[in-house]
Amino acid sequence: MAKTEFDLIDTFFTQQQVQRADVNLNIGDDCALTSVLSGKFLATTTDTMVENSHFYPNIDPRDLGYKAIATNLSDLAAMGAEPAWVSLALTLPKSDENWLHAFSQGMFELLNEHHVALIGGDTTSGTVPSITITAQGFVEKNTALRRDQAKVGDWIYVSGTLGDGLAGFYLISDLYQGKKSAVNFDEEWLIQRNFRPTPRISLGITLAKYQLSHCALDLSDGLVGDLGHILQRSGVSAVLNLQDLPCSAALVNLYGRQQAEQFALQGGEDYELCFTVPNHKKALLDQYLAPLKVPYTCIGRIVEKNPQQNIIYQRQGKMVDLQISSFEHFK
Amino acid sequence: MAKTEFDLIDTFFTQQQVQRADVNLNIGDDCALTSVLSGKFLATTTDTMVENSHFYPNIDPRDLGYKAIATNLSDLAAMGAEPAWVSLALTLPKSDENWLHAFSQGMFELLNEHHVALIGGDTTSGTVPSITITAQGFVEKNTALRRDQAKVGDWIYVSGTLGDGLAGFYLISDLYQGKKSAVNFDEEWLIQRNFRPTPRISLGITLAKYQLSHCALDLSDGLVGDLGHILQRSGVSAVLNLQDLPCSAALVNLYGRQQAEQFALQGGEDYELCFTVPNHKKALLDQYLAPLKVPYTCIGRIVEKNPQQNIIYQRQGKMVDLQISSFEHFK
């Protein structure tokens, strides 16, 4: 006999939980009950992943669980928030215990690492698998990293390396569509970067806590598109130094530096942070970020609004003409 | 050209908003930022509706928007929480402006009535339309209405009338499948009860605030199934008085009292509250509920756990043998 919704919830989604003092009532009632310290803002984000729009049917459910959590925690990191709780809405054609077991393991791998509780959700039946996560965390009032806070003169930074997520997506697509049957070491590394992005939690918290930055977002749609949101909301423009774009050895090995830069600019699903730092905080930034062991790179600077060109590209100080469109899923 | 995600969000989901002092940063950044008063618990619930699992493709999008909000606010009411914010994850095959306009109007009709803000969400493309709402509200610590708090001797109450949601669902199905082509006044009323359930917000808040009850849930899966959750979690049993089950005139007109009682017991999607009240609070209950103008009925009593029979059915004080299974969607 098929397990009921209540059995499933109990089996896979309550047994691997961390305990948090701020969770008063967990899964199983009409609502979860949690408490929030005064003086803190609650940061809330929601992301949906739909089969064939955001992932292929053959994805390892463990990777899917991991990625669903990672993309949401990345949004919290982009506000400088410390993650606390998530809710899960899961739609599946049938209740498959092996699938649920692997999916929940992938979720809890990342949830438990960051001491985040799953406080509720809904499991529904539907022909197309779909996952919606709502994640919440805390940030001290007036320290949150907002898209509208970039100032002229701020330096533009990114964490990690860019373009891996998009290159990984192309490889995953080629494998799924049978255009490719095996991958080498570098290709496998890029695929893993897509399946298992690293939410930059400690970086986001440190930037906010020490007020090293007031402006950040996470790179889900690609640097050009996402930086464009910062520029538009802050009423400024940017100069990007192409030679400084951080690209992974795997990406450069496979595609060469020039193509790697294109991936870095256009690429989606990197889930790295892009943030701006006032000039007088630059030295402090290096001091506070050193212990985190999170790679970060200065790639440009915020300039006054240029109505003709939102982003000015330079290489070694010389202007370069580039047309880049941002990444759209499965188009 | 199709509108982008950002245009859509702006057009339909930010312009009809109520303003709330506790919303510091709304739609448009990586996260929303909100604040919570100390001394309050935050209540969180998530519900998903998937086409062909929870609604038919021909549903009026305005009704769909209304119902998606209603079912979530109902969960908050069942905790005694005052609703504050919702997030919306919306999956659609294509971006249809007329559809989005009507859907958002239905949502905001109910959100604005209860002064609830839409603080964020995600719009994604997928072949099967699906809506996931996460709703949050506040309840004073230690007054929340929980499923595990029914005590022997408590009276069992329900709000409104029961069975209308299920009868409405059957009528909607018959119309959709062409088994029926027109409806009379009573049938239309039942259909509206299904499409537009009334979340019992003021009732839930009053029960919690004056501690008239410590135990409630909302009837989404039917009285027998849902009351079963209270009994199981509280370690008690119940006696139900069949003659006291509140059935609407429309339901009784169409199906007769006996069939109406079956609908009332088994019926899902009523979104009425079921709550228990200690004997010494009975008079106080009537006093506090009178101004709300919300109908409510005492239908039975909590008794000591009966391992043989979780719910004992009586009619005019005499035991009745009944087998009732709870409602499952679209089965």
Side-chain angles (χ1 to χ4, degrees), chain A residues 24-25 28-34 41-45 47-48 53 75 89 122 125 134 136 146-147 217-218, chain B residues 24-25 29-34 41-45 47-48 53 75 89 122 125 134 136 146-147 217-218 233:
Chain A
N24 180 262
L25 184 63
D29 214 306
D30 295 285
C31 295
L33 296 177
T34 54
F41 276 139
L42 187 65
T44 305
T45 183
D47 267 309
T48 299
S53 295
D75 278 319
D122 193 14
S125 116
T134 300
Q136 297 196 295
R146 298 170 53 141
R147 296 180 178 196
L217 48 58
D218 74 324
Chain B
N24 179 262
L25 184 64
D29 215 307
D30 295 284
C31 296
L33 296 176
T34 54
F41 276 138
L42 188 65
T44 305
T45 182
D47 266 309
T48 298
S53 294
D75 278 318
D122 193 13
S125 114
T134 300
Q136 298 196 293
R146 298 170 52 140
R147 296 181 176 195
L217 49 57
D218 74 323
R233 284 180 182 262

Side-chain angles (χ1 to χ4, degrees), chain B residues 182-196:
Chain B
V183 290
N184 65 25
F185 183 85
D186 285 333
E187 289 168 333
E188 181 55 32
W189 189 87
L190 292 173
I191 287 171
Q192 285 306 314
R193 283 275 289 162
N194 183 289
F195 280 149
R196 297 196 162 223

Side-chain angles (χ1 to χ4, degrees), chain A residues 157-206:
Chain A
Y157 286 81
V158 291
S159 62
T161 54
L162 304 186
D164 303 331
L166 180 59
F169 167 73
Y170 287 141
L171 291 164
I172 292 162
S173 290
D174 285 351
L175 285 167
Y176 179 71
Q177 290 160 5
K179 294 180 190 165
K180 203 173 171 69
S181 59
V183 289
N184 65 25
F185 183 84
D186 284 333
E187 289 168 333
E188 180 55 31
W189 188 87
L190 292 173
I191 287 171
Q192 285 306 312
R193 282 276 289 162
N194 184 288
F195 280 149
R196 296 196 162 223
T198 306
R200 299 297 188 181
I201 307 285
S202 63
L203 174 60
I205 292 172
T206 303

Side-chain angles (χ1 to χ4, degrees), chain A residues 6 24-25 27-38 40-50 53-54 75-76 78-79 85 87-91 119-122 124-128 130 132 134 136 139 141 144-148 216-218 221 229 233, chain B residues 6 24-25 27-38 40-50 53-54 75-76 78-79 85 87-91 119-122 124-128 130 132 134 136 139 141 144-148 216-218 221 229 233:
Chain A
F6 286 89
N24 180 262
L25 184 63
I27 294 171
D29 214 306
D30 295 285
C31 295
L33 296 177
T34 54
S35 50
V36 177
L37 295 176
S38 60
K40 303 255 192 183
F41 276 139
L42 187 65
T44 305
T45 183
T46 296
D47 267 309
T48 299
M49 296 172 69
V50 183
S53 295
H54 302 85
D75 278 319
L76 293 176
M79 295 304 282
W85 325 303
S87 296
L88 164 70
L90 184 60
T91 300
I119 58 167
D122 193 14
T124 50
S125 116
T127 50
V128 179
S130 169
T132 296
T134 300
Q136 297 196 295
V139 57
K141 287 186 181 176
L145 309 171
R146 298 170 53 141
R147 296 180 178 196
D148 59 2
L217 48 58
D218 74 324
D221 296 332
H229 298 316
R233 284 180 182 262
Chain B
F6 286 88
N24 179 262
L25 184 64
I27 294 172
D29 215 307
D30 295 284
C31 296
L33 296 176
T34 54
S35 50
V36 176
L37 295 176
S38 59
K40 303 257 191 182
F41 276 138
L42 188 65
T44 305
T45 182
T46 296
D47 266 309
T48 298
M49 296 173 68
V50 183
S53 294
H54 302 87
D75 278 318
L76 293 176
M79 296 304 282
W85 325 302
S87 296
L88 163 70
L90 183 60
T91 300
I119 57 167
D122 193 13
T124 50
S125 114
T127 50
V128 179
S130 169
T132 296
T134 300
Q136 298 196 293
V139 57
K141 288 187 180 176
L145 309 171
R146 298 170 52 140
R147 296 181 176 195
D148 59 2
L217 49 57
D218 74 323
D221 296 333
H229 298 315
R233 284 180 182 262

Side-chain angles (χ1 to χ4, degrees), chain A residues 38 103 112 264 268 307 311 321:
Chain A
S38 60
F103 178 81
N112 291 356
I311 302 179
D321 198 19

